[in-house]
């Protein structure tokens, strides 16, 4: 059975977390949320990832984006682990909830199970999965990284900016885009529509095919 993927509504699970009981849909509310999992508490790569995420929490909050971490260990373990994370990067406070999922039901439903990694009892562990969910509770973007490879939280923030820009202006963002750079007019928009939609104007790349599909414009 295929797992949760782009466009799917995330299951509305009720979960224990370091901030008490959380229902995923209520947690997301009318905002975007980054829902991300870690293989286990008290592990090195996960500690660096969570410390980095805590450091960027203010940037996500400025954009109205919520953070929700997952690890299978229990809430008491998470609370102890948070002390290590905050000591590792002083000033980076883990102010967002970390969910406990000891029976692995949530990570299965959220397509966050690592196909290889197992704990010492042979139980499943989460991969480094990350879903960016919209106010409609649908998955807008996902990363799936194995336990061996820490994620780039700058890229997560960049992806959030790209999604928010695309949603706000009905545009797309080209390779390596960062905020302030030119965006792309999607193929479904005719030149006539583009002139109306983007009164600031747009540039069309002159290509050997003479097909006018690569159009750039600026948005705020
Ligand atoms: C880590 O976070 O360092 C880690 C966790 C599970 C397997 C490998 C590495």
């Amino acid at each position: 059975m295929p797992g949760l993927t782009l466009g799917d509504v995330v299951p509305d699970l009720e979960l224990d977390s370091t901030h008490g009981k959380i229902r995923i849909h209520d947690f997301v509310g009318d905002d975007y949320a980054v829902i991300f999992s870690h293989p286990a508490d008290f592990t090195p790569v996960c500690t660096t990832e969570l410390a980095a995420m805590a450091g960027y929490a203010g940037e996500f909050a400025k954009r109205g984006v919520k953070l929700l971490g997952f690890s299978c260990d229990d809430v008491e373990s998470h609370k102890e682990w948070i002390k290590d994370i905050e000591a590792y990067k002083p000033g980076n406070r883990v102010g967002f909830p970390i969910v406990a999922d000891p029976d692995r039901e949530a990570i299965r439903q959220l397509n966050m199970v690592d196909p290889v990694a197992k704990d010492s009892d042979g139980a499943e562990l989460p991969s480094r999965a990350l879903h960016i969910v919209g106010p409609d509770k649908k998955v807008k973007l996902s990363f799936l990284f194995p336990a061996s490879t820490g994620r780039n939280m700058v890229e997560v923030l960049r992806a959030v900016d790209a999604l928010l820009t695309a949603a706000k202006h009905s545009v797309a963002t080209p390779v390596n885009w960062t905020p302030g750079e030119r965006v792309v007019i999607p193929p479904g928009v005719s030149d006539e529509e583009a002139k109306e939609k983007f009164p600031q104007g747009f540039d069309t790349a002159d290509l050997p095919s003479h097909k006018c599909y690569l159009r750039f414009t600026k948005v705020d």
Side-chain angles (χ1 to χ4, degrees):
M1 190 171 124
L4 187 78
T5 190
L6 297 183
D8 289 349
V9 173
V10 288
D12 190 17
L13 306 171
E14 188 178 69
L15 304 159
D16 284 327
S17 85
T18 50
H19 290 202
K21 287 248 181 262
I22 282 184
R23 259 204 111 81
I24 294 187
H25 286 198
D26 289 344
F27 178 82
V28 175
D30 295 327
D31 299 315
Y32 278 72
V34 179
I35 300 178
F36 55 104
S37 59
H38 301 274
D41 295 1
F42 302 103
T43 52
V45 177
C46 300
T47 300
T48 62
E49 286 191 316
L50 267 172
M53 210 48 156
Y56 286 111
E59 289 298 320
F60 287 102
K62 263 192 229 164
R63 292 156 173 80
V65 176
K66 294 170 178 161
L67 301 176
L68 183 62
F70 271 73
S71 177
C72 285
D73 302 288
D74 61 34
V75 166
E76 284 317 305
S77 165
H78 292 348
K79 287 182 176 169
E80 285 303 308
W81 183 34
I82 286 171
K83 293 179 194 165
D84 282 2
I85 295 163
E86 293 182 344
Y88 168 62
K89 286 283 174 193
N92 291 9
R93 202 176 74 79
V94 180
F96 50 85
I98 303 179
V99 165
D101 186 29
D103 61 8
R104 278 59 172 170
E105 190 48 38
I107 61 163
R108 283 184 208 118
Q109 292 203 36
L110 290 165
N111 194 19
M112 290 174 155
V113 177
D114 189 303
V116 178
K118 302 279 182 271
D119 72 9
S120 53
D121 298 324
E124 292 166 317
L125 285 174
S127 58
R128 299 188 195 284
L130 183 150
H131 301 302
I132 303 178
V133 175
D136 57 3
K137 319 300 182 276
K138 290 184 179 170
V139 177
K140 306 295 178 189
L141 184 150
S142 292
F143 293 170
L144 276 180
F145 277 43
S148 61
T149 309
R151 287 157 287 194
N152 181 338
M153 300 312 176
V154 177
E155 171 60 4
V156 178
L157 195 56
R158 192 197 73 89
V160 161
D161 281 330
L163 283 173
L164 294 178
T165 298
K168 182 173 174 194
H169 298 284
S170 305
V171 294
T173 53
V175 62
N176 296 339
W177 176 88
T178 54
E181 293 181 351
R182 295 188 307 172
V183 298
V184 158
I185 301 174
V189 180
S190 69
D191 275 355
E192 287 64 40
E193 287 165 335
K195 278 178 201 153
E196 265 189 36
K197 256 182 118 152
F198 305 104
Q200 67 274 37
F202 59 92
D203 296 321
T204 306
D206 189 11
L207 301 171
S209 66
H210 301 297
K211 295 183 195 291
C212 299
Y213 60 90
L214 184 50
R215 298 168 297 172
F216 293 97
T217 190
K218 287 282 261 184
V219 292
D220 298 330

